[in-house]
Amino acid sequence: MATESEISDGDQLDRELAELLEVERFEPPPEFRERALLKDPAVYEQASRDPLGWWTRQAEDLHWFSRWDTVLDDSDPPFYKWFVGGTLNVSYNCLDRHVEEGRGERVAFHWRGEDGQERDITYADLLAEVQRFANALKDLGVRKGDVVGIYLPMIPEVVVSMLACARIGAPHNVVFGGFSAEAVRERMEFSQAKLLITVDGAARKGTTAPVKDRVDEVMGGLPSLEKIVVVRSKGTACEMQQGRDVFYDEIVAAADPHCPAEALDAEHPLYILYTSGSTAKPKGILHTTGGYLTGVSATHRYVFDLKPETDVYWCAADVGWVTGHSYIVYGPLSNGATSVMWEGAPDYPHKGIWWEIIERYRVSILYCAPTAIRACIKWGSQWPRKHDLSSLRLLGSVGEPINPKAWLWYHKVIGGERCPIVDTWWQTETGAIMITPLPGITATKPGSATFPFPGVFAEVLDESTGEPLPEGQGLLVLTRPWPSMLRTLYKEEDRFIETYFSRFGRETYLVGDAARRDKDGYFWVIGRIDDVVNVSGHRLSTAEVESAIVAHVDVAEAAVIGQHDEDTGQAIVAFVTLQGTLEGDESTIEGIRGTVADRIGKFARPKRIIWADDLPKTRSGKIMRRLLRDIAEGRALGDVTTLRDPAVMGELEQRVSELQAQED
Ligand code: WTA
């Protein structure tokens, strides 16, 4: 129960936040601006006058074995190539370069285990381990171009694995640890992975979840998959299949310690990362080497105003998402940053663990998702207030729109009103941050990602005419290629063109988000226009969840929508029709949620299941999700004239209001 002083503190805080709500713009604090890497607004103008010159300068900050001949080959849009003819290696840029230049003893990661265990890993340590593991992968038959799956929790070996793949030119395919083994299998199958790196067990708020055993249950019979490497992290017993499975520590110990980094073509594939699209089949986003590293390195340095000698940087995402790839691994390491890596959840062993970690390592830059901030608001400001957060100087937000209230709380309670907030808009597809403030230059408005990063060209187009809107709401597009853009959808070229480059032609990238520009030209990203739902910053497709639900034996049909949710941004709501005369009850609900957890992962389980005798369909049998969204949001129904049976809607409205009454 809250004490009296906490209650009055809460009231006072609410009053102060209400006052801040009146502030239209937050200028960069003068002390921050003075020391910022970028403080002259002319950078925007220079980059837009000569984008290729700007990106060239960013690429020149990296180490290249041989320089490119052409910065951008745009002769066959949308198949763009960057830094054509150049060769480099991502792991060399992230490791060797720092060690050779005398930064080997710098800590790359302060790793902290869920149980409080601590490990400081220097750049020299990482380089040594990566070389050995790269050789071990070669010993297991992995060759340049072979796909390697990685299904690991937030342990240092996940970084080692990614860099070892990059070192030998084997594209990795990381699957977020919250996905189920089924989802891993599917992604290994689509990408024809040759080897999978996984773990015995993973920490889950005080218990250990078996991982290898789950993987074994589903991974048989994949012809491409030859080997499984198992990291012994928790000492969980697991069976090892002779001839297929090996322990990470054993092969690393046996491997040659010296593995020079391969000089790879700038367009050599670095990784595939599966993400949700409009259909049930996830999209394999393909990123390559030179352009990607240029994009993540430059954005990481300038958006976070990184001073690698003094900053301690913490991106509190999971490496399994693109945020982790670009801003836990490749951006920070290429810039020689010292980062924090936390194995666990934000509320275990207590709800103040993040703030304890910030105090412990004197974190100066924090990058996290609005969902986490909203959870912290709910838990109360007494948690952060117990800790010294004075080391923080910059805050970042990513993954979903941040509502002004959460922005202001972050600004006041965490940032002590002295830290600029960078609300960064981007996607798995864009590889790097695209729309964001520059913290020493841009005046921010809570809830707006502000302006495109220098060298990035965004517009909001009128939905019907396709004309750019200087002010108003429409479809967000990127109108010129950028170095870290996806190159294709793995093995699905037609889908790549169809999804991103068909609506406005082959030179205009359709983002899939609606956005608004205000009178000052600020961008406000509103949310997806397709059937992608964003639950706590986790991207899911409604079709993917539907296909998991209908796998349950009792289910005849399902329609899934995203409903606005105060805590998670959006929540999954499923309208479900059962087989024949079956009646749904609590155990059916649990069964369906369990099926979704098995097929996709626990984070995809529907928050609400609404039984429907029938679903609203057009005469041709297409489910009208738009009407289901109207019902769920309590809005007046849109156009119902194309419905086959309008009576369906009345029944569903009734069900939804009954369910809401129960929940209240
Ligand atoms: C949403 C995560 C508003 C958006 C990096 C986008 C955001 C999708 C923001 C990509 C933001 C991400 N403001 N919306 N700052 N950042 N989004 O691929 O809908 O997991 O299209 O990449 O998240 O999600 P993804």
Side-chain angles (χ1 to χ4, degrees):
M1 230 171 75
T3 64
E4 215 165 288
S5 76
E6 276 163 16
I7 292 168
S8 60
D9 182 43
D11 288 347
Q12 163 101 18
L13 180 60
D14 282 347
R15 271 196 302 278
E16 288 168 5
L17 290 177
E19 271 167 33
L20 283 175
L21 213 47
E22 304 294 312
V23 180
E24 203 211 351
R25 289 186 213 210
F26 291 79
E27 295 289 341
E31 335 57 92
F32 190 98
R33 181 187 300 239
E34 242 164 65
R35 294 194 203 116
L37 294 177
L38 292 180
K39 50 187 155 214
D40 183 356
V43 63
Y44 282 109
E45 208 232 320
Q46 285 157 6
S48 71
R49 224 182 316 118
D50 178 18
L52 296 189
W54 160 262
W55 289 120
T56 298
R57 284 194 294 285
Q58 306 315 316
E60 282 167 351
D61 280 335
L62 301 175
H63 168 275
W64 295 77
F65 292 117
S66 61
R67 195 180 163 95
W68 54 91
D69 324 303
T70 311
V71 179
L72 169 66
D73 173 356
D74 56 2
S75 57
D76 182 24
F79 300 100
Y80 296 99
K81 294 191 184 113
W82 284 85
F83 308 112
V84 183
T87 59
L88 75 165
N89 185 287
V90 167
S91 96
Y92 188 95
N93 273 281
C94 290
L95 304 172
D96 306 56
R97 185 165 57 128
H98 304 308
V99 174
E100 283 166 15
E101 292 169 12
R103 297 186 287 275
E105 293 316 304
R106 184 181 295 168
V107 172
F109 289 102
H110 295 292
W111 180 80
R112 166 104 156 208
E114 198 193 73
D115 59 3
Q117 191 196 343
E118 296 185 309
R119 264 173 79 186
D120 279 355
I121 300 147
T122 65
Y123 277 88
D125 295 338
L126 257 188
L127 176 58
E129 181 96 354
V130 165
Q131 292 196 70
R132 281 183 178 274
F133 190 45
N135 276 330
L137 289 175
K138 286 202 255 180
D139 294 344
L140 291 173
V142 176
R143 297 283 166 265
K144 180 170 153 184
D146 289 341
V147 176
V148 171
I150 300 179
Y151 181 46
L152 289 173
M154 290 290 285
I155 54 176
E157 289 79 1
V158 72
V159 180
V160 174
S161 300
M162 290 164 77
L163 292 168
C165 289
R167 198 164 187 88
I168 60 175
H172 55 69
N173 171 9
V174 179
V175 184
F176 166 54
F179 274 112
S180 65
E182 280 284 353
V184 180
R185 183 197 152 99
E186 189 184 63
R187 284 155 179 74
M188 293 308 116
E189 191 176 348
F190 294 157
S191 67
Q192 310 233 307
K194 187 163 184 182
L195 178 145
L196 173 67
I197 307 164
T198 188
V199 71
D200 53 356
R204 292 269 191 281
K205 299 193 193 185
T207 61
T208 302
V211 177
K212 169 67 165 53
D213 283 358
R214 290 282 110 82
V215 166
D216 280 345
E217 282 167 20
V218 299
M219 212 55 77
L222 273 191
S224 67
L225 194 79
E226 294 172 12
K227 298 280 175 196
I228 297 186
V229 176
V230 182
V231 177
R232 276 190 268 218
S233 169
K234 299 288 167 228
T236 322
C238 54
E239 267 182 42
M240 298 293 279
Q241 188 178 308
Q242 184 107 49
R244 185 194 70 176
D245 302 350
V246 288
F247 283 118
Y248 172 94
D249 53 310
E250 290 176 3
I251 57 173
V252 164
D256 190 294
H258 183 62
C259 176
E262 285 252 358
L264 298 171
D265 191 275
E267 286 295 340
H268 187 78
L270 175 63
Y271 67 80
I272 306 162
L273 182 57
Y274 282 87
T275 187
S276 297
S278 288
T279 66
K281 188 173 181 222
K283 302 186 289 199
I285 307 293
L286 182 86
H287 283 293
T288 58
T289 301
Y292 174 80
L293 196 65
T294 301
V296 298
S297 192
T299 50
H300 181 258
R301 181 172 336 119
Y302 293 129
V303 173
F304 297 106
D305 187 48
L306 184 82
K307 317 280 179 6
E309 301 79 20
T310 47
D311 274 318
V312 178
Y313 163 87
W314 184 18
C315 168
D318 190 284
V319 276
W321 302 108
V322 75
T323 304
H325 283 55
S326 299
Y327 298 107
I328 293 177
V329 183
Y330 295 120
L333 291 176
S334 66
N335 287 327
T338 294
S339 295
V340 165
M341 187 170 178
W342 162 235
E343 184 184 33
D347 58 350
Y348 184 87
H350 57 78
K351 295 190 168 75
I353 184 65
W354 274 22
W355 321 118
E356 184 186 319
I357 289 174
I358 288 174
E359 178 174 357
R360 166 79 181 91
Y361 300 105
R362 307 292 299 156
V363 172
S364 55
I365 304 167
L366 174 66
Y367 189 34
C368 68
T371 288
I373 300 164
R374 287 192 297 267
C376 294
I377 297 176
K378 213 163 152 184
W379 299 334
S381 56
Q382 70 277 15
W383 291 102
R385 292 227 157 112
K386 275 188 220 158
H387 297 279
D388 175 8
L389 305 182
S390 62
S391 55
L392 287 171
R393 65 179 196 92
L394 180 65
L395 303 174
S397 168
V398 58
E400 38 174 340
I402 179 165
N403 45 311
K405 193 180 157 208
W407 195 103
L408 292 169
W409 187 91
Y410 198 28
H411 168 72
K412 184 162 186 68
V413 179
I414 307 306
E417 297 187 54
R418 68 179 182 278
C419 306
I421 296 182
V422 286
D423 172 2
T424 62
W425 175 87
W426 59 295
Q427 311 177 290
T428 308
E429 289 87 340
T430 68
I433 293 169
M434 294 282 110
I435 303 182
T436 175
L438 288 175
I441 295 177
T442 317
T444 53
K445 299 186 186 188
S448 167
T450 74
F451 303 108
F453 185 78
V456 172
F457 295 80
E459 297 273 8
V460 171
L461 302 186
D462 183 288
E463 198 160 343
S464 41
T465 65
E467 288 301 313
L469 297 170
E471 195 182 332
Q473 186 172 324
L475 304 178
L476 185 62
V477 294
L478 300 172
T479 55
R480 290 204 201 176
W482 63 101
S484 64
M485 69 193 294
L486 80 166
R487 296 302 193 260
T488 190
L489 294 180
Y490 192 63
K491 294 189 193 291
E492 292 187 296
E493 215 139 82
D494 293 345
R495 191 180 178 195
F496 167 66
I497 298 173
E498 168 62 29
T499 310
Y500 307 106
F501 294 98
S502 60
R503 183 142 178 187
F504 300 111
R506 292 199 168 201
E507 290 175 36
T508 303
Y509 170 82
L510 179 73
V511 160
D513 283 343
R516 179 169 71 79
R517 290 188 80 175
D518 68 15
K519 60 181 191 330
D520 304 315
Y522 281 64
F523 285 79
W524 299 73
V525 177
I526 294 161
R528 303 289 308 189
I529 51 164
D530 51 11
D531 291 318
V532 171
V533 187
N534 195 329
V535 181
S536 303
H538 298 164
R539 207 169 134 170
L540 283 162
S541 93
T542 53
E544 207 174 346
V545 181
E546 283 164 8
S547 99
I549 293 176
V550 297
H552 188 280
V553 284
D554 293 346
V555 174
E557 199 171 33
V560 164
I561 56 153
Q563 182 184 32
H564 175 76
D565 188 277
E566 265 202 18
D567 299 330
T568 57
Q570 284 189 297
I572 298 270
V573 178
F575 292 83
V576 175
T577 308
L578 294 175
Q579 302 276 6
T581 55
L582 287 176
E583 296 266 338
D585 57 16
E586 272 309 309
S587 85
T588 331
I589 291 182
E590 278 324 299
I592 291 173
R593 284 165 52 84
T595 308
V596 175
D598 289 345
R599 295 245 156 179
I600 306 175
K602 282 189 179 164
F603 67 93
R605 290 177 302 187
K607 182 160 179 183
R608 290 190 190 82
I609 290 181
I610 295 160
W611 305 121
D613 298 331
D614 201 357
L615 293 168
K617 287 183 193 148
T618 60
R619 282 180 202 95
S620 60
K622 222 172 149 235
I623 297 174
M624 295 181 74
R625 291 190 186 74
R626 164 172 71 75
L627 295 176
L628 295 173
R629 277 195 290 268
D630 288 342
I631 296 189
E633 303 291 1
R635 286 192 295 255
L637 293 183
D639 184 8
V640 291
T641 50
T642 50
L643 263 188
R644 189 171 54 194
D645 175 11
V648 172
M649 295 311 293
E651 280 168 36
L652 285 178
E653 275 178 307
Q654 176 82 23
R655 288 274 162 87
V656 171
S657 63
E658 278 167 22
L659 191 74
Q660 262 152 8
Q662 270 173 27
E663 284 177 7
D664 292 343

